[in-house]
Amino acid sequence: MHEFNRPASRARVARTIAALRANQIDAELAPSPAAARARVLELIPDGAEVLCATSRTIEKLGLLEDLEQSGRYAAVRPAYLKLDRKADAAQIRRMRSAPEFVVGSVHAVTDSGQVVIASQTGSQLSAYVYGAGRVIWVVGTQKLVTDLDEAMRRIEEHALPLEEARSQLAYKIGSGINKVVVVNAEFRPGRTNLIFVPARIGF
């Protein structure tokens, strides 16, 4: 098994959760993928505005259907996809940058509670960093790493080739590590939830 695709032990996850909480990120371990899915839905009230960031984790858990197709929420992506990408570009940027809730995943979490996200376009980063009122990340425990150096190795050696293949299949274009965000801590308590899934899920 690839070193970056091996789920972490429960003891390591517990230590990382403690580190994340010390950094004002509300972290927890769901007992199963189904429980992680239910926990996300528990955190979002009916009728809330929700942006789903592009994420294999969110897709695999079935949350894309829950959040965008159930009719329970004001889903941002279906709304902006109806707009003209050129004529309405400014409106689309605003919609994607400052939703009430953003739900997605990350590429690595260090033992000291740093969260690392890489992106080709940066389209999800503004919401994660500041724009969204609430942030919910769902993260497979195979994404735990020792430090930032190992986080970048995980992104470059493991996540990027998988995302490259997905992007070529979906969009006929490649991918790249153009923008990287490191969240050392959350400034506003209660803004960010990170839910670990005890399984290999996502890139």
Side-chain angles (χ1 to χ4, degrees):
M1 184 185 298
H2 194 286
E3 65 173 309
F4 293 129
N5 205 32
R6 185 180 296 111
S9 69
R10 287 187 175 266
R12 186 180 190 185
V13 173
R15 291 193 298 270
T16 305
I17 286 173
L20 287 162
R21 289 176 177 173
N23 294 338
Q24 298 198 131
I25 294 171
D26 294 332
E28 61 190 276
L29 174 64
S32 67
R37 178 180 182 177
R39 177 61 174 144
V40 171
L41 300 179
E42 179 183 311
L43 289 168
I44 306 173
D46 286 358
E49 180 186 60
V50 183
L51 172 65
C52 285
T54 301
S55 165
R56 291 291 287 174
T57 301
I58 300 306
E59 292 175 12
K60 290 290 186 182
L61 286 176
L63 281 164
L64 202 59
E65 291 82 0
D66 293 331
L67 298 172
E68 294 191 348
Q69 300 173 21
S70 68
R72 291 176 56 189
Y73 308 99
V76 174
R77 179 159 47 184
Y80 75 65
L81 287 176
K82 296 176 182 177
L83 302 177
D84 184 276
R85 292 185 62 186
K86 291 185 178 180
D88 301 313
Q91 182 179 352
I92 292 170
R93 285 197 306 273
R94 287 192 292 269
M95 292 171 71
R96 297 183 70 167
S97 297
E100 185 179 359
F101 284 81
V102 63
V103 180
S105 191
V106 307
H107 292 102
V109 182
T110 71
D111 288 341
S112 62
Q114 297 165 296
V115 180
V116 186
I117 311 110
S119 178
Q120 181 176 30
T121 65
S123 60
Q124 78 277 43
L125 299 181
S126 57
Y128 285 167
V129 171
Y130 182 78
R134 291 283 302 277
V135 178
I136 301 173
W137 288 318
V138 189
V139 183
T141 58
Q142 84 278 13
K143 297 183 180 183
L144 271 64
V145 296
T146 302
D147 53 25
L148 291 178
D149 287 341
E150 191 171 72
M152 289 308 302
R153 282 187 53 230
R154 186 181 193 282
I155 291 168
E156 293 166 356
E157 298 174 15
H158 179 74
L160 179 60
L162 293 171
E163 176 58 22
E164 175 79 17
R166 186 201 71 82
S167 184
Q168 288 286 359
L169 185 63
Y171 312 121
K172 310 302 181 189
I173 59 172
S175 189
I177 305 169
N178 294 340
K179 301 177 183 182
V180 178
V181 162
V182 178
V183 178
N184 291 316
E186 176 55 67
F187 180 75
R188 180 158 57 86
R191 177 177 181 263
T192 301
N193 291 80
L194 191 151
I195 302 164
F196 281 119
V197 184
R200 292 190 304 275
I201 187 166
F203 295 162

